Amino acid sequence: CARTETDARPAHPGAKDSRISLPTGSATGKAGSSAAPDPAREVERGNLDLAYQWSQGRIGGAGWVTGLATSSGGGGRIYARTDVGGAYRWYGESQEWKQMIRADRVPGALGSDYVVESIAVSHSDPDTVYLATGDDAPPGNGELSRTGWILVSRDGGASWVRSRRPFHISGNGAFRQRSERLAVSPTDPNLVLFGSRREGLWRSSDGGLNWEQVPESEVPAGVQRSEEASPGISFVSFDPEDASVAYAGVSGDSVYRSSNGGQSWTSVGPQLAEEFGAFEGTVVDGLLFVSMNGLDGAAVGSLQRYDPERGRWSDITPESDRTEWSVAVQPTQPDHLIAMDSSGSNGSVWRSTNGGRTWTQPEISTRSPDIGWIDASDIFTWLSVGRVLFDPVDPDQIWFAEGMGVWTARS
């Protein structure tokens, strides 16, 4: 179709206002007069429960949703992560997002557990969810802080356990959007990869409790910046149809491939200059789709497709000089692509039905009848891209996470 319409969905149930019901029958009188207090209506000072009735009120968004994760299992699952507002699960029947990070669900809950850098869900068990959480700052000239953790849920986010090893994780730092640094084997929910910013590539075979580092002589740690956020390992992913195949993007280096479930790795190119990083890493029908984005905000980025059978990379970038790209690949039709630059606004979205050989730009219409304030805002001029994905069950539906929430569209 020539026109794509999107619907807003509330992305932050935790970002709420409060509706207050005050006690009725307050004493009133003329100026200079006083009325005797009514003991039945007096409110005990300091006891707000007697004075107010609190309830949650929906705002319908207003914070950056930096990533999405989907699973075709369980009828199709959609999970979302935010940079400072926790992680959420979508419930289609009630059309709402529900917060998964709560003090009563996470053992030894920390404020930094709400700062989510990556999310991954098992395709073979959609109730198994992994989060990388933490708010570590660049080390500067000091020691590397490690206050981040891998959280693991076996019940779809109702409860969590914490990994036994802390990591340096910067869920609110630069390069936090689009890519996922966690990936779960499509056949083994206990086999998971974690690509860190400063500590290289890690592998767990026991559901994220214990971790073993891949030697940096095999997979390097990527671009490191002592005073700024570092991209490091910028994505990890498994081939959903072949659990032995996995990929890792290393900023300023190249893409690495494993053919034995992450036990050993080799570079498959392309050689990247230091100002570039390989992001997203979506695998469909054996083909790897990667966004080669500039790290300095100036270098022109590109979309690349890797065919492992031919050992060949192909440039499929729309005709544009944008520095950043994001691409969604339809799971059942890998020739059907949706591309965005750093914005998902009108003029920043491309569509291809022939694998990226040619592109068209659909006209974008945004609407959200359930969110009254949104038409008075200016967010439609710049919908910052967190991630764009096709629905795992409905191949015509697109999910788009951005700076004010999550949108859906029909392709």
Side-chain angles (χ1 to χ4, degrees):
C1 60
R3 189 178 185 88
T4 300
E5 292 199 348
T6 59
D7 292 315
R9 302 296 185 207
H12 289 287
K16 46 186 173 269
D17 61 7
S18 297
R19 293 177 296 188
I20 302 173
S21 298
L22 296 175
T24 58
S26 300
T28 60
K30 296 180 180 180
S33 66
S34 61
D38 183 349
R41 291 173 176 170
E42 279 192 344
V43 176
E44 181 182 345
R45 289 184 180 181
N47 191 341
L48 294 181
D49 289 339
L50 296 180
Y52 303 100
Q53 294 178 349
W54 296 90
S55 62
Q56 292 184 340
R58 284 189 180 179
I59 292 178
W64 198 356
V65 183
T66 47
L68 295 170
T70 65
S71 173
S72 57
R77 292 281 179 86
I78 309 290
Y79 294 92
R81 63 178 170 94
T82 71
D83 50 11
V84 295
Y88 299 84
R89 175 177 165 182
W90 175 249
Y91 289 82
E93 291 184 0
S94 57
Q95 294 287 290
E96 63 181 334
W97 296 96
K98 291 186 178 181
Q99 172 70 266
M100 297 190 295
I101 301 300
R102 291 179 8 189
D104 59 345
R105 296 182 178 183
V106 182
L110 306 168
S112 58
D113 291 336
Y114 283 96
V115 185
V116 185
E117 180 164 78
S118 188
I119 185 169
V121 56
S122 167
H123 288 280
S124 58
D125 179 8
D127 284 330
T128 297
V129 186
Y130 293 84
L131 299 178
T133 67
D135 195 19
D136 286 300
N141 296 323
E143 293 185 5
L144 188 69
S145 62
R146 295 180 176 88
T147 65
W149 299 89
I150 306 299
L151 302 180
V152 187
S153 176
R154 300 292 185 181
D155 51 17
S159 63
W160 300 87
V161 295
R162 200 178 293 273
S163 63
R164 294 172 180 168
R165 183 197 189 282
F167 290 94
H168 179 93
I169 296 175
S170 304
N172 197 29
F175 315 113
R176 63 192 180 276
Q177 70 274 27
R178 301 186 182 90
S179 282
E180 295 304 332
R181 301 174 185 273
L182 288 167
V184 188
S185 164
T187 58
D188 182 358
N190 293 314
L191 179 56
V192 59
L193 302 173
F194 173 55
S196 72
R197 289 175 178 264
R198 298 182 182 273
E199 301 174 272
L201 180 62
W202 295 75
R203 183 179 186 269
S204 174
S205 58
D206 64 357
L209 294 180
N210 298 286
W211 294 84
E212 180 180 0
Q213 186 178 12
V214 175
E216 290 190 19
S217 59
E218 195 169 323
V219 179
V223 172
Q224 301 296 305
R225 298 169 173 174
S226 62
E227 302 293 338
E228 304 174 48
S230 293
I233 308 294
S234 42
F235 82 81
V236 290
S237 58
F238 278 95
D239 185 333
E241 298 176 0
D242 185 349
S244 66
V245 175
Y247 292 93
V250 180
S251 59
D253 190 292
S254 65
V255 175
Y256 287 75
R257 186 178 191 266
S258 174
S259 58
N260 54 14
Q263 297 182 63
S264 61
W265 299 79
T266 56
S267 173
V268 295
Q271 185 60 49
L272 298 175
E274 187 173 346
E275 65 267 23
F276 285 95
F279 293 87
E280 296 191 326
T282 302
V283 185
V284 176
D285 199 26
L287 301 174
L288 174 69
F289 295 81
V290 178
S291 304
M292 302 296 187
N293 292 335
L295 304 178
D296 57 5
V300 176
S302 67
L303 292 178
Q304 302 283 333
R305 184 184 63 224
Y306 175 67
D307 185 342
E309 291 188 359
R310 299 182 180 182
R312 187 174 68 185
W313 289 89
S314 301
D315 190 329
I316 58 170
T317 315
E319 293 186 10
S320 176
D321 59 355
R322 309 302 167 91
T323 61
E324 298 180 23
W325 288 98
S326 187
V327 63
V329 188
Q330 194 178 80
T332 58
Q333 299 182 49
D335 282 341
H336 191 174
L337 313 175
I338 297 293
M340 296 182 179
D341 57 26
S342 55
S343 168
S345 308
N346 215 19
S348 295
V349 180
W350 289 260
R351 178 170 53 206
S352 176
T353 57
N354 55 16
R357 290 191 296 273
T358 60
W359 296 86
T360 59
Q361 285 193 281
E363 181 183 352
I364 303 300
S365 171
T366 48
R367 60 184 177 86
S368 182
D370 296 329
I371 304 176
W373 55 264
I374 206 163
D375 289 333
S377 72
D378 62 352
I379 70 167
F380 302 125
T381 63
W382 186 261
L383 294 169
S384 52
V385 177
R387 191 69 190 267
V388 55
L389 294 173
F390 279 92
D391 190 276
V393 175
D394 182 352
D396 291 325
Q397 179 148 349
I398 302 168
W399 293 81
F400 169 44
E402 55 87 36
M404 295 296 284
V406 177
W407 301 73
T408 63
R410 306 295 295 179
S411 63

